[in-house]
């Protein structure tokens, strides 16, 4: 969450005073209005506001028809939800390497494709756009879907198109740590009517009783309950009005930081698949070796707790314990790793299975930026990075 204020308070007050916090058949229709505004902003035919980014990924996978017997390729560097969403629909996440951009490596994706592969989930981690041209070309060649995990990239873009609108579907998160926030929340987008209808049905446990059922051509099946409230819709509508301003300011701060931090011989900036589309939330310093990156991170942590944070470790695959230990569900009978349909699929995980990813993560430090930094903040933070580099040299 970057900016929030009185406008959100007013929006919530309106919904509470209306007495209709449930999003269906109410007077204000805040969630419906947000969905319209979001799909117009992202540039897709359909959007669904729902309870979380994880829920958006799971609903999209359900919409895409993924299930037991399917493999889905996911990068080994992301938040675990990119992989756990695949397990939630009964399929197996196959982990692939990232490259220097810190996003999914298309060359390794090609190596991980098998006759069971159904799709690819590129993740725009830290707002860095994934290499969508290459990934979409591979997907097309092998007849796979592309589900963009844009949960850390609300509003970012790739070659002039908003992230999330380029693959077959896209997922966004509005939890506390994301660019836009309602505390919790998420959205999915797609241009595919069938995927939309199936995701709509899946995310709304009461789909059979909704006014929209008459418009559906897909048969209604049992799903779960991930609906948004109208309060979430109201907050997100205000958040959306702030989005482009936040991104402009983040990009300005990032450019200013890069200018000041260029030329230090201890690191380089991680390359980008589209610098102009980058969200600007973080600046990746790629050190030449892991030991130097470690010394840098320790020195930053000694100085200021929490301002320029390094990765806490939860985004690297070997720390996703339930996945690594094949506990893919709450009981054995529904555990995707134990399902008969999944035997013979690629589910061997080990700590050292993605050496390139481990090396890159160990030597890349993501400087956390803020859209409200003043010139003085930029000056001070840049100076601190350079001072620490001199100290650890
Ligand atoms: C935050 C995040 C999610 C999940 O979002 P929630 O809203 O917390 O469920 C999924 N993928 C990535 C890459 C994320 O950063």
């Amino acid at each position: 969450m970057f900016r929030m204020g009185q406008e959100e308070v007013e929006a919530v007050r309106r919904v509470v005073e209306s007495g209709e916090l449930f999003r269906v058949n109410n007077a204000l229709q805040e969630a419906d209005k947000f969905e319209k505004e979001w799909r117009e902003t992202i540039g897709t035919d359909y959007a669904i506001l729902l309870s979380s980014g994880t829920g958006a990924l799971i609903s999209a996978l359900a919409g895409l028809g993924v299930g037991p017997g399917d493999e889905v390729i996911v990068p080994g560097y992301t938040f675990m939800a990119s992989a756990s969403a695949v397990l939630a629909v009964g399929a197996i996440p196959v982990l692939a390497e990232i490259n220097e951009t810190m996003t999914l490596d298309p060359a390794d994706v090609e190596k991980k494709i098998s006759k069971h592969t159904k799709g690819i989930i590129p993740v725009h981690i830290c707002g860095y756009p994934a290499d969508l041209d290459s990934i979409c070309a591979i997907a097309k060649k092998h007849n796979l879907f592309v589900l963009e995990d844009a949960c850390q990239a609300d509003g970012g873009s790739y070659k002039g198109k908003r992230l999330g609108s380029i693959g077959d579907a896209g997922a966004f998160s509005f939890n506390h740590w994301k660019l836009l926030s309602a505390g919790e929340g998420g959205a999915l987008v797609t241009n595919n009517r069938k995927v939309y209808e199936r995701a709509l049905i899946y995310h709304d446990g009461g789909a059979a009783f909704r006014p929209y059922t008459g418009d559906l051509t897909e048969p209604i099946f049992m799903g779960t309950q991930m609906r948004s409230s109208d309060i979430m819709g109201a907050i997100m509508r205000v958040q959306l009005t702030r989005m482009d301003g936040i991104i402009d300011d983040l990009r300005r701060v990032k450019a200013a930081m890069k200018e000041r931090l260029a030329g230090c011989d201890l690191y380089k900036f991680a390359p980008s698949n589209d610098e102009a589309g980058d969200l600007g939330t973080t600046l990746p310093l790629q050190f030449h070796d892991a030991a130097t990156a470690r010394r840098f991170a320790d020195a930053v942590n000694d100085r200021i707790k929490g301002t320029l944070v390094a990765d806490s470790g939860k985004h690297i695959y070997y720390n996703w314990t339930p996945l690594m230990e094949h506990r893919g569900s709450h009981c054995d009978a529904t555990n995707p790793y134990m399902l008969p349909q999944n035997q013979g699929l690629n589910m061997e995980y080990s700590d050292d299975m993605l050496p390139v990813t481990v090396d890159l993560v160990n030597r890349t430090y993501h400087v956390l930026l803020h859209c409200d930094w003043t010139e003085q903040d930029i000056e001070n933070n840049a100076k601190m990075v350079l001072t620490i580099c001199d100290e650890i040299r």
Side-chain angles (χ1 to χ4, degrees):
M1 182 188 81
F2 281 90
R3 288 176 183 154
M4 188 164 285
Q6 207 50 42
E7 293 88 341
E8 281 85 353
V9 174
E10 283 304 311
V12 171
R13 191 182 55 75
R14 275 203 320 278
V15 176
V16 173
E17 286 180 357
S18 78
E20 296 183 290
L21 282 58
F22 186 54
R23 66 168 291 180
V24 184
N25 271 346
N26 63 359
L28 292 175
Q29 304 260 292
E30 296 286 342
D32 285 42
K33 287 174 186 160
F34 174 76
E35 286 172 347
K36 180 168 183 292
E37 289 158 4
W38 189 250
R39 69 173 187 257
E40 285 171 359
T41 302
I42 301 302
T44 54
D45 292 340
Y46 308 103
I48 302 173
L49 175 66
L50 71 185
S51 58
S52 68
T54 307
L57 288 167
I58 296 171
S59 301
L61 290 167
L64 288 156
V66 180
D70 297 331
E71 294 176 354
V72 178
I73 299 173
V74 177
Y77 176 59
T78 176
F79 181 56
M80 186 171 63
S82 315
S84 69
V86 176
L87 291 165
V89 296
I92 298 295
V94 171
L95 307 182
E97 298 272 23
I98 58 168
N99 61 23
E100 284 190 330
T101 67
M102 303 309 282
T103 64
L104 191 57
D105 178 16
D108 199 50
V109 168
E110 286 228 75
K111 288 187 202 147
K112 299 285 159 70
I113 292 174
S114 77
K115 63 177 192 291
H116 305 291
T117 310
K118 188 95 188 247
I120 309 168
I121 304 184
V123 181
H124 310 302
I125 193 88
C126 304
Y128 314 142
D131 183 355
L132 290 174
D133 277 352
S134 304
I135 291 165
C136 290
I138 293 167
K140 199 164 170 206
K141 185 167 132 200
H142 296 272
N143 195 24
L144 310 174
F145 69 77
V146 173
L147 167 57
E148 290 177 65
D149 182 339
C151 287
Q152 296 193 11
D154 304 335
S157 62
Y158 176 75
K159 301 195 174 170
K161 287 188 185 154
R162 295 277 191 179
L163 297 174
S165 70
I166 297 156
D168 298 277
F172 303 90
S173 170
F174 308 131
N175 84 17
H176 177 68
W177 293 276
K178 310 302 160 111
L179 191 103
L180 304 182
S181 180
E184 299 283 3
L188 85 85
V189 294
T190 181
N191 288 318
N192 183 317
R193 177 78 199 176
K194 185 181 167 104
V195 172
Y196 164 71
E197 286 194 13
R198 288 174 52 88
L200 186 71
I201 294 165
Y202 184 82
H203 103 290
D204 181 1
F209 311 108
R210 298 291 172 238
Y212 60 68
T213 48
D215 304 331
L216 301 180
T217 55
E218 289 294 310
I220 293 180
F221 54 88
M222 285 299 169
T224 180
Q225 207 296 68
M226 300 176 173
R227 283 188 313 273
S228 153
S229 73
D230 229 37
I231 292 188
M232 183 187 286
I235 295 174
M236 288 314 302
R237 290 188 71 203
V238 181
Q239 283 282 290
L240 179 52
T241 66
R242 302 184 190 275
M243 183 173 82
D244 286 335
I246 295 172
I247 296 173
D248 283 351
D249 285 340
L250 281 168
R251 287 176 178 160
R252 178 181 51 73
V253 168
K254 186 164 183 168
M257 286 291 281
K258 280 186 83 166
E259 205 180 293
R260 286 167 177 77
L261 296 181
C264 174
D265 62 346
L266 290 188
Y267 55 75
K268 69 179 175 69
F269 303 129
S272 172
N273 291 305
D274 181 10
E275 190 74 44
D278 184 291
L279 210 57
T281 43
T282 44
L283 173 59
L285 306 180
Q286 219 152 58
F287 289 86
H288 303 309
D289 60 87
T292 311
R294 189 71 256 152
R295 282 205 304 281
F296 178 83
D298 289 344
V300 172
N301 289 340
D302 281 350
R303 205 164 302 223
I304 34 139
K305 296 257 179 270
T307 312
L308 305 173
V309 286
D311 201 286
S312 60
K314 65 176 177 251
H315 296 98
I316 181 92
Y317 65 96
Y318 54 68
N319 287 334
W320 306 339
T321 309
L323 178 133
M324 294 302 282
E325 297 181 357
H326 284 188
R327 286 192 299 279
S329 181
H330 63 286
C331 68
D332 289 352
T334 57
N335 184 348
Y337 294 110
M338 296 190 177
L339 294 179
Q341 299 96 312
N342 287 337
Q343 300 317 305
L345 269 58
N346 180 359
M347 57 171 86
E348 286 306 309
Y349 308 130
S350 65
D351 285 359
D352 55 5
M353 67 186 290
L354 301 177
V356 176
T357 299
V358 172
D359 173 59
L360 283 166
V361 170
N362 281 341
R363 60 189 179 82
T364 306
Y365 187 97
H366 306 269
V367 178
L368 206 66
L369 308 173
H370 201 286
C371 54
D372 293 329
W373 277 3
T374 61
E375 281 303 312
Q376 195 58 54
D377 293 329
I378 292 167
E379 200 60 53
N380 293 347
N381 285 313
K383 204 185 230 157
M384 180 167 60
V385 170
L386 293 173
T387 307
I388 290 173
C389 283
D390 280 340
E391 281 171 17
I392 63 168
R393 198 176 292 273

